[in-house]
Amino acid sequence: MRRLACCLTALVLAACASQPSDDAPFLPSEAEFAQLFPQRIAFYDHAGFVAAVQATPGFASRGNPQQRRQEMAAFLAQIAHESDQLRAQREYNRAAWDHYCRRGPGEDCAPGQQYYGRGPIQLSWNYQYLAAGRALGLDLWSDPDLVARDSRVAWRTALWYWMNQTGPSDRSAHAALQAGAGFGATTRAINGVLECDKGEGSQGWRQQASRVAFYQRATALFGVEPLGPLHC
């Protein structure tokens, strides 16, 4: 009888260990990741992505399972557009590489460094690298290219922006989804100045359409409905 009780206890513990905790993020499998990004470069590996997600409290881990999947789909759609389907490690337009230095009270640029777009969300500008580095415990102001050399750092900067930065919006992409504002609100937080409130058929509208199309693909793969409004 005692042996049976021990066996039952072991089975219960094993079952509990296999269940996700209440705050566990939704994570696409490696196969799903590959299906969404079949042409991604090796730098954007699934392992680095998973490690960064697990190091970001609150991301895709709040609300019910549908909300968690919707946030993951929205994030992947936005970085897909920003990074050319995870093929851009560094900004393609080299002519613009030296154009991201803002100087002013408390702001400057490290000698010899350039702050062009890098990583999944194409982190740009000296003040953004400074803020991201401080949040992550890294010196990205002095060494911005670390974002293009270390996969986990690249992913973490993208998630840092998603969780914290508002861009031209009044809230971050993460906060917008938590409030039920829809996918379009995440676009406003990332590139609202150039894309939001533009007429249908404009370049901004077409760029939004690219983001929306990927979001619809990702939500379909994850088995959830897209969260609208889809355009900002």
Side-chain angles (χ1 to χ4, degrees), residues 38-86:
Q39 296 179 316
R40 74 188 188 282
I41 60 175
F43 179 77
Y44 293 117
D45 62 300
H46 182 257
F49 163 69
V50 169
V53 170
Q54 293 174 335
T56 307
F59 173 70
S61 63
R62 302 275 170 82
N64 59 41
Q66 174 176 305
Q67 291 169 316
R68 300 178 190 205
R69 289 167 180 257
Q70 286 172 332
E71 180 167 17
M72 179 60 74
F75 172 76
L76 293 178
Q78 294 293 7
I79 61 100
H81 180 82
E82 293 293 312
S83 67
D84 188 23
Q85 310 283 314
L86 294 183

Tab-separated table of all heavy atoms in Angstrom, residues 38-86:
chain	number	residue	atom	x	y	z
A	38	PRO	N	10.677	30.647	-43.310
A	38	PRO	CA	11.438	29.608	-44.022
A	38	PRO	C	12.761	30.096	-44.607
A	38	PRO	O	13.655	29.290	-44.868
A	38	PRO	CB	10.480	29.163	-45.134
A	38	PRO	CG	9.589	30.355	-45.353
A	38	PRO	CD	9.418	30.968	-43.994
A	39	GLN	N	12.906	31.419	-44.797
A	39	GLN	CA	14.125	31.961	-45.405
A	39	GLN	C	14.974	32.747	-44.419
A	39	GLN	O	15.893	33.461	-44.818
A	39	GLN	CB	13.750	32.863	-46.592
A	39	GLN	CG	13.058	32.113	-47.719
A	39	GLN	CD	12.691	33.037	-48.869
A	39	GLN	OE1	12.178	34.141	-48.669
A	39	GLN	NE2	12.967	32.600	-50.085
A	40	ARG	N	14.710	32.594	-43.145
A	40	ARG	CA	15.468	33.351	-42.141
A	40	ARG	C	16.938	32.954	-42.179
A	40	ARG	O	17.279	31.813	-42.508
A	40	ARG	CB	14.899	33.127	-40.743
A	40	ARG	CG	15.222	31.764	-40.148
A	40	ARG	CD	14.463	31.538	-38.844
A	40	ARG	NE	14.904	30.334	-38.162
A	40	ARG	CZ	14.555	29.108	-38.489
A	40	ARG	NH1	13.753	28.911	-39.528
A	40	ARG	NH2	15.007	28.080	-37.808
A	41	ILE	N	17.807	33.904	-41.814
A	41	ILE	CA	19.233	33.602	-41.746
A	41	ILE	C	19.530	32.881	-40.433
A	41	ILE	O	18.753	32.943	-39.474
A	41	ILE	CB	20.078	34.887	-41.868
A	41	ILE	CG1	19.758	35.869	-40.730
A	41	ILE	CG2	19.861	35.545	-43.234
A	41	ILE	CD1	20.637	37.098	-40.720
A	42	ALA	N	20.673	32.201	-40.378
A	42	ALA	CA	21.009	31.374	-39.224
A	42	ALA	C	21.100	32.178	-37.928
A	42	ALA	O	20.874	31.647	-36.834
A	42	ALA	CB	22.324	30.647	-39.482
A	43	PHE	N	21.426	33.459	-38.039
A	43	PHE	CA	21.552	34.311	-36.860
A	43	PHE	C	20.282	34.317	-36.028
A	43	PHE	O	20.330	34.365	-34.793
A	43	PHE	CB	21.883	35.735	-37.319
A	43	PHE	CG	22.025	36.741	-36.203
A	43	PHE	CD1	23.168	36.778	-35.422
A	43	PHE	CD2	21.009	37.655	-35.954
A	43	PHE	CE1	23.308	37.709	-34.394
A	43	PHE	CE2	21.139	38.594	-34.937
A	43	PHE	CZ	22.290	38.616	-34.151
A	44	TYR	N	19.143	34.263	-36.691
A	44	TYR	CA	17.858	34.301	-35.989
A	44	TYR	C	17.391	32.882	-35.682
A	44	TYR	O	16.403	32.392	-36.225
A	44	TYR	CB	16.820	35.051	-36.830
A	44	TYR	CG	17.130	36.514	-36.986
A	44	TYR	CD1	17.394	37.065	-38.241
A	44	TYR	CD2	17.170	37.362	-35.882
A	44	TYR	CE1	17.670	38.419	-38.380
A	44	TYR	CE2	17.456	38.718	-36.018
A	44	TYR	CZ	17.707	39.234	-37.270
A	44	TYR	OH	17.995	40.573	-37.408
A	45	ASP	N	18.104	32.237	-34.787
A	45	ASP	CA	17.791	30.848	-34.461
A	45	ASP	C	16.664	30.765	-33.427
A	45	ASP	O	16.428	31.677	-32.653
A	45	ASP	CB	19.035	30.138	-33.930
A	45	ASP	CG	19.546	30.763	-32.640
A	45	ASP	OD1	19.889	31.961	-32.657
A	45	ASP	OD2	19.572	30.069	-31.608
A	46	HIS	N	15.987	29.642	-33.435
A	46	HIS	CA	14.858	29.422	-32.538
A	46	HIS	C	15.306	29.406	-31.082
A	46	HIS	O	14.611	29.935	-30.203
A	46	HIS	CB	14.173	28.102	-32.901
A	46	HIS	CG	12.961	27.796	-32.082
A	46	HIS	ND1	12.968	26.874	-31.049
A	46	HIS	CD2	11.694	28.293	-32.131
A	46	HIS	CE1	11.764	26.807	-30.508
A	46	HIS	NE2	10.972	27.651	-31.140
A	47	ALA	N	16.466	28.840	-30.798
A	47	ALA	CA	16.953	28.751	-29.418
A	47	ALA	C	17.176	30.136	-28.813
A	47	ALA	O	16.811	30.393	-27.660
A	47	ALA	CB	18.240	27.941	-29.367
A	48	GLY	N	17.772	31.046	-29.589
A	48	GLY	CA	17.991	32.401	-29.103
A	48	GLY	C	16.674	33.120	-28.864
A	48	GLY	O	16.526	33.870	-27.889
A	49	PHE	N	15.726	32.885	-29.732
A	49	PHE	CA	14.397	33.470	-29.589
A	49	PHE	C	13.721	32.982	-28.303
A	49	PHE	O	13.215	33.780	-27.509
A	49	PHE	CB	13.570	33.100	-30.822
A	49	PHE	CG	12.092	33.260	-30.670
A	49	PHE	CD1	11.520	34.509	-30.560
A	49	PHE	CD2	11.272	32.140	-30.654
A	49	PHE	CE1	10.149	34.650	-30.439
A	49	PHE	CE2	9.902	32.277	-30.525
A	49	PHE	CZ	9.337	33.529	-30.420
A	50	VAL	N	13.744	31.676	-28.081
A	50	VAL	CA	13.114	31.099	-26.892
A	50	VAL	C	13.767	31.630	-25.620
A	50	VAL	O	13.087	32.000	-24.657
A	50	VAL	CB	13.172	29.559	-26.935
A	50	VAL	CG1	12.775	28.956	-25.588
A	50	VAL	CG2	12.273	29.027	-28.047
A	51	ALA	N	15.092	31.687	-25.607
A	51	ALA	CA	15.807	32.182	-24.427
A	51	ALA	C	15.424	33.615	-24.118
A	51	ALA	O	15.239	33.995	-22.952
A	51	ALA	CB	17.316	32.056	-24.640
A	52	ALA	N	15.290	34.436	-25.144
A	52	ALA	CA	14.932	35.840	-24.938
A	52	ALA	C	13.503	35.973	-24.423
A	52	ALA	O	13.228	36.792	-23.533
A	52	ALA	CB	15.107	36.619	-26.236
A	53	VAL	N	12.586	35.185	-24.969
A	53	VAL	CA	11.198	35.220	-24.503
A	53	VAL	C	11.119	34.833	-23.030
A	53	VAL	O	10.435	35.479	-22.225
A	53	VAL	CB	10.312	34.290	-25.352
A	53	VAL	CG1	8.927	34.132	-24.711
A	53	VAL	CG2	10.173	34.824	-26.766
A	54	GLN	N	11.825	33.787	-22.670
A	54	GLN	CA	11.797	33.313	-21.286
A	54	GLN	C	12.445	34.301	-20.323
A	54	GLN	O	12.186	34.253	-19.119
A	54	GLN	CB	12.462	31.942	-21.195
A	54	GLN	CG	11.663	30.861	-21.914
A	54	GLN	CD	12.365	29.516	-21.956
A	54	GLN	OE1	13.599	29.446	-21.879
A	54	GLN	NE2	11.601	28.453	-22.083
A	55	ALA	N	13.271	35.199	-20.840
A	55	ALA	CA	13.910	36.225	-20.008
A	55	ALA	C	13.131	37.535	-19.993
A	55	ALA	O	13.604	38.522	-19.440
A	55	ALA	CB	15.333	36.480	-20.507
A	56	THR	N	11.924	37.529	-20.580
A	56	THR	CA	11.115	38.744	-20.673
A	56	THR	C	9.788	38.535	-19.940
A	56	THR	O	8.803	38.070	-20.537
A	56	THR	CB	10.843	39.114	-22.142
A	56	THR	OG1	12.088	39.176	-22.859
A	56	THR	CG2	10.134	40.456	-22.259
A	57	PRO	N	9.720	38.857	-18.659
A	57	PRO	CA	8.492	38.641	-17.886
A	57	PRO	C	7.305	39.395	-18.488
A	57	PRO	O	7.424	40.551	-18.889
A	57	PRO	CB	8.844	39.203	-16.498
A	57	PRO	CG	10.337	39.167	-16.430
A	57	PRO	CD	10.804	39.425	-17.837
A	58	GLY	N	6.198	38.711	-18.583
A	58	GLY	CA	4.970	39.345	-19.056
A	58	GLY	C	4.703	39.192	-20.532
A	58	GLY	O	3.552	39.316	-20.973
A	59	PHE	N	5.721	38.905	-21.319
A	59	PHE	CA	5.513	38.804	-22.765
A	59	PHE	C	4.803	37.500	-23.109
A	59	PHE	O	5.269	36.411	-22.752
A	59	PHE	CB	6.837	38.878	-23.513
A	59	PHE	CG	6.681	38.608	-24.991
A	59	PHE	CD1	6.032	39.526	-25.808
A	59	PHE	CD2	7.150	37.442	-25.566
A	59	PHE	CE1	5.865	39.283	-27.161
A	59	PHE	CE2	6.991	37.193	-26.914
A	59	PHE	CZ	6.347	38.115	-27.719
A	60	ALA	N	3.679	37.616	-23.817
A	60	ALA	CA	2.883	36.463	-24.265
A	60	ALA	C	2.549	35.512	-23.120
A	60	ALA	O	2.375	34.312	-23.329
A	60	ALA	CB	3.606	35.710	-25.384
A	61	SER	N	2.454	36.063	-21.909
A	61	SER	CA	2.176	35.224	-20.741
A	61	SER	C	1.090	35.817	-19.849
A	61	SER	O	0.925	35.400	-18.714
A	61	SER	CB	3.457	35.024	-19.921
A	61	SER	OG	3.943	36.256	-19.409
A	62	ARG	N	0.370	36.787	-20.367
A	62	ARG	CA	-0.710	37.416	-19.611
A	62	ARG	C	-2.041	37.132	-20.287
A	62	ARG	O	-2.128	37.075	-21.500
A	62	ARG	CB	-0.495	38.923	-19.519
A	62	ARG	CG	0.820	39.340	-18.872
A	62	ARG	CD	0.712	39.395	-17.360
A	62	ARG	NE	2.012	39.570	-16.724
A	62	ARG	CZ	2.627	40.736	-16.579
A	62	ARG	NH1	2.051	41.826	-17.046
A	62	ARG	NH2	3.785	40.815	-15.962
A	63	GLY	N	-3.078	36.967	-19.481
A	63	GLY	CA	-4.397	36.721	-20.032
A	63	GLY	C	-4.624	35.249	-20.330
A	63	GLY	O	-3.860	34.377	-19.899
A	64	ASN	N	-5.653	34.983	-21.100
A	64	ASN	CA	-5.988	33.592	-21.419
A	64	ASN	C	-5.110	33.088	-22.565
A	64	ASN	O	-4.363	33.861	-23.180
A	64	ASN	CB	-7.481	33.475	-21.756
A	64	ASN	CG	-7.884	34.339	-22.941
A	64	ASN	OD1	-7.172	34.430	-23.935
A	64	ASN	ND2	-9.054	34.978	-22.847
A	65	PRO	N	-5.189	31.776	-22.856
A	65	PRO	CA	-4.334	31.217	-23.921
A	65	PRO	C	-4.496	31.917	-25.265
A	65	PRO	O	-3.522	32.079	-26.001
A	65	PRO	CB	-4.782	29.755	-23.989
A	65	PRO	CG	-5.253	29.445	-22.608
A	65	PRO	CD	-5.916	30.694	-22.131
A	66	GLN	N	-5.722	32.346	-25.583
A	66	GLN	CA	-5.925	33.047	-26.859
A	66	GLN	C	-5.162	34.363	-26.884
A	66	GLN	O	-4.522	34.694	-27.892
A	66	GLN	CB	-7.419	33.302	-27.069
A	66	GLN	CG	-7.706	34.161	-28.302
A	66	GLN	CD	-9.180	34.325	-28.570
A	66	GLN	OE1	-9.902	33.341	-28.701
A	66	GLN	NE2	-9.647	35.561	-28.655
A	67	GLN	N	-5.224	35.127	-25.800
A	67	GLN	CA	-4.525	36.416	-25.745
A	67	GLN	C	-3.010	36.235	-25.849
A	67	GLN	O	-2.319	37.039	-26.476
A	67	GLN	CB	-4.894	37.142	-24.454
A	67	GLN	CG	-6.335	37.626	-24.418
A	67	GLN	CD	-6.751	38.105	-23.048
A	67	GLN	OE1	-6.471	37.479	-22.030
A	67	GLN	NE2	-7.422	39.258	-23.009
A	68	ARG	N	-2.493	35.183	-25.245
A	68	ARG	CA	-1.052	34.929	-25.312
A	68	ARG	C	-0.627	34.603	-26.740
A	68	ARG	O	0.406	35.074	-27.219
A	68	ARG	CB	-0.673	33.788	-24.364
A	68	ARG	CG	-1.013	34.100	-22.915
A	68	ARG	CD	-0.684	32.977	-21.967
A	68	ARG	NE	-1.239	33.252	-20.645
A	68	ARG	CZ	-0.784	32.765	-19.513
A	68	ARG	NH1	0.256	31.942	-19.522
A	68	ARG	NH2	-1.340	33.057	-18.356
A	69	ARG	N	-1.432	33.820	-27.424
A	69	ARG	CA	-1.125	33.475	-28.813
A	69	ARG	C	-1.262	34.701	-29.725
A	69	ARG	O	-0.477	34.870	-30.666
A	69	ARG	CB	-2.048	32.348	-29.286
A	69	ARG	CG	-1.724	30.999	-28.632
A	69	ARG	CD	-2.807	29.969	-28.851
A	69	ARG	NE	-2.452	28.721	-28.204
A	69	ARG	CZ	-1.980	27.644	-28.838
A	69	ARG	NH1	-1.814	27.687	-30.155
A	69	ARG	NH2	-1.663	26.555	-28.177
A	70	GLN	N	-2.253	35.535	-29.450
A	70	GLN	CA	-2.420	36.751	-30.253
A	70	GLN	C	-1.226	37.691	-30.087
A	70	GLN	O	-0.783	38.309	-31.066
A	70	GLN	CB	-3.714	37.459	-29.854
A	70	GLN	CG	-4.972	36.779	-30.362
A	70	GLN	CD	-6.238	37.380	-29.796
A	70	GLN	OE1	-6.234	37.923	-28.685
A	70	GLN	NE2	-7.334	37.300	-30.538
A	71	GLU	N	-0.705	37.801	-28.871
A	71	GLU	CA	0.450	38.676	-28.687
A	71	GLU	C	1.678	38.112	-29.393
A	71	GLU	O	2.430	38.866	-30.032
A	71	GLU	CB	0.771	38.894	-27.210
A	71	GLU	CG	1.986	39.800	-27.047
A	71	GLU	CD	2.215	40.329	-25.652
A	71	GLU	OE1	1.653	39.775	-24.684
A	71	GLU	OE2	2.983	41.315	-25.530
A	72	MET	N	1.888	36.818	-29.293
A	72	MET	CA	3.039	36.231	-29.983
A	72	MET	C	2.916	36.436	-31.487
A	72	MET	O	3.890	36.793	-32.167
A	72	MET	CB	3.151	34.741	-29.653
A	72	MET	CG	4.313	34.036	-30.338
A	72	MET	SD	5.941	34.721	-29.908
A	72	MET	CE	6.130	34.088	-28.230
A	73	ALA	N	1.721	36.217	-32.017
A	73	ALA	CA	1.507	36.401	-33.457
A	73	ALA	C	1.758	37.845	-33.861
A	73	ALA	O	2.369	38.119	-34.904
A	73	ALA	CB	0.084	35.986	-33.824
A	74	ALA	N	1.309	38.794	-33.040
A	74	ALA	CA	1.497	40.210	-33.352
A	74	ALA	C	2.977	40.578	-33.330
A	74	ALA	O	3.470	41.287	-34.220
A	74	ALA	CB	0.725	41.072	-32.355
A	75	PHE	N	3.693	40.111	-32.331
A	75	PHE	CA	5.132	40.396	-32.253
A	75	PHE	C	5.861	39.837	-33.465
A	75	PHE	O	6.667	40.529	-34.098
A	75	PHE	CB	5.712	39.804	-30.970
A	75	PHE	CG	7.210	39.890	-30.890
A	75	PHE	CD1	7.840	41.091	-30.593
A	75	PHE	CD2	8.003	38.769	-31.114
A	75	PHE	CE1	9.229	41.178	-30.524
A	75	PHE	CE2	9.391	38.844	-31.047
A	75	PHE	CZ	9.998	40.051	-30.748
A	76	LEU	N	5.590	38.589	-33.806
A	76	LEU	CA	6.281	37.971	-34.938
A	76	LEU	C	5.923	38.667	-36.248
A	76	LEU	O	6.776	38.793	-37.138
A	76	LEU	CB	5.938	36.479	-34.999
A	76	LEU	CG	6.471	35.638	-33.834
A	76	LEU	CD1	6.031	34.186	-33.987
A	76	LEU	CD2	7.995	35.721	-33.733
A	77	ALA	N	4.692	39.142	-36.365
A	77	ALA	CA	4.304	39.863	-37.582
A	77	ALA	C	5.071	41.173	-37.692
A	77	ALA	O	5.535	41.545	-38.785
A	77	ALA	CB	2.803	40.138	-37.562
A	78	GLN	N	5.212	41.869	-36.587
A	78	GLN	CA	5.909	43.156	-36.632
A	78	GLN	C	7.397	42.974	-36.919
A	78	GLN	O	7.968	43.713	-37.733
A	78	GLN	CB	5.693	43.916	-35.318
A	78	GLN	CG	4.254	44.343	-35.077
A	78	GLN	CD	3.767	45.406	-36.052
A	78	GLN	OE1	4.434	45.768	-37.014
A	78	GLN	NE2	2.567	45.899	-35.816
A	79	ILE	N	8.034	42.028	-36.278
A	79	ILE	CA	9.473	41.861	-36.553
A	79	ILE	C	9.696	41.255	-37.937
A	79	ILE	O	10.742	41.488	-38.553
A	79	ILE	CB	10.182	41.068	-35.432
A	79	ILE	CG1	9.616	39.663	-35.259
A	79	ILE	CG2	10.104	41.826	-34.119
A	79	ILE	CD1	10.437	38.600	-35.917
A	80	ALA	N	8.718	40.505	-38.448
A	80	ALA	CA	8.839	39.986	-39.814
A	80	ALA	C	8.936	41.129	-40.804
A	80	ALA	O	9.762	41.115	-41.731
A	80	ALA	CB	7.650	39.093	-40.146
A	81	HIS	N	8.084	42.136	-40.612
A	81	HIS	CA	8.123	43.297	-41.515
A	81	HIS	C	9.404	44.098	-41.322
A	81	HIS	O	10.058	44.491	-42.297
A	81	HIS	CB	6.914	44.196	-41.270
A	81	HIS	CG	6.895	45.403	-42.149
A	81	HIS	ND1	6.423	45.382	-43.442
A	81	HIS	CD2	7.327	46.676	-41.931
A	81	HIS	CE1	6.543	46.576	-43.975
A	81	HIS	NE2	7.092	47.391	-43.083
A	82	GLU	N	9.770	44.333	-40.068
A	82	GLU	CA	10.936	45.167	-39.781
A	82	GLU	C	12.235	44.539	-40.270
A	82	GLU	O	13.149	45.252	-40.698
A	82	GLU	CB	11.025	45.422	-38.270
A	82	GLU	CG	9.900	46.269	-37.701
A	82	GLU	CD	9.934	47.692	-38.207
A	82	GLU	OE1	11.026	48.303	-38.166
A	82	GLU	OE2	8.883	48.195	-38.659
A	83	SER	N	12.345	43.231	-40.189
A	83	SER	CA	13.619	42.554	-40.492
A	83	SER	C	13.607	41.804	-41.818
A	83	SER	O	14.481	40.960	-42.050
A	83	SER	CB	13.955	41.562	-39.378
A	83	SER	OG	13.011	40.493	-39.369
A	84	ASP	N	12.624	42.102	-42.675
A	84	ASP	CA	12.539	41.407	-43.965
A	84	ASP	C	12.489	39.897	-43.756
A	84	ASP	O	13.301	39.149	-44.277
A	84	ASP	CB	13.724	41.795	-44.866
A	84	ASP	CG	13.594	41.263	-46.282
A	84	ASP	OD1	12.452	40.992	-46.708
A	84	ASP	OD2	14.638	41.100	-46.955
A	85	GLN	N	11.519	39.462	-42.967
A	85	GLN	CA	11.304	38.038	-42.703
A	85	GLN	C	12.512	37.388	-42.009
A	85	GLN	O	12.869	36.249	-42.282
A	85	GLN	CB	10.986	37.278	-43.999
A	85	GLN	CG	9.895	37.911	-44.836
A	85	GLN	CD	8.495	37.652	-44.296
A	85	GLN	OE1	8.149	36.544	-43.941
A	85	GLN	NE2	7.704	38.693	-44.253
A	86	LEU	N	13.122	38.133	-41.107
A	86	LEU	CA	14.316	37.674	-40.368
A	86	LEU	C	15.492	37.384	-41.296
A	86	LEU	O	16.266	36.462	-41.091
A	86	LEU	CB	13.996	36.450	-39.504
A	86	LEU	CG	13.018	36.678	-38.348
A	86	LEU	CD1	12.857	35.400	-37.523
A	86	LEU	CD2	13.460	37.838	-37.460
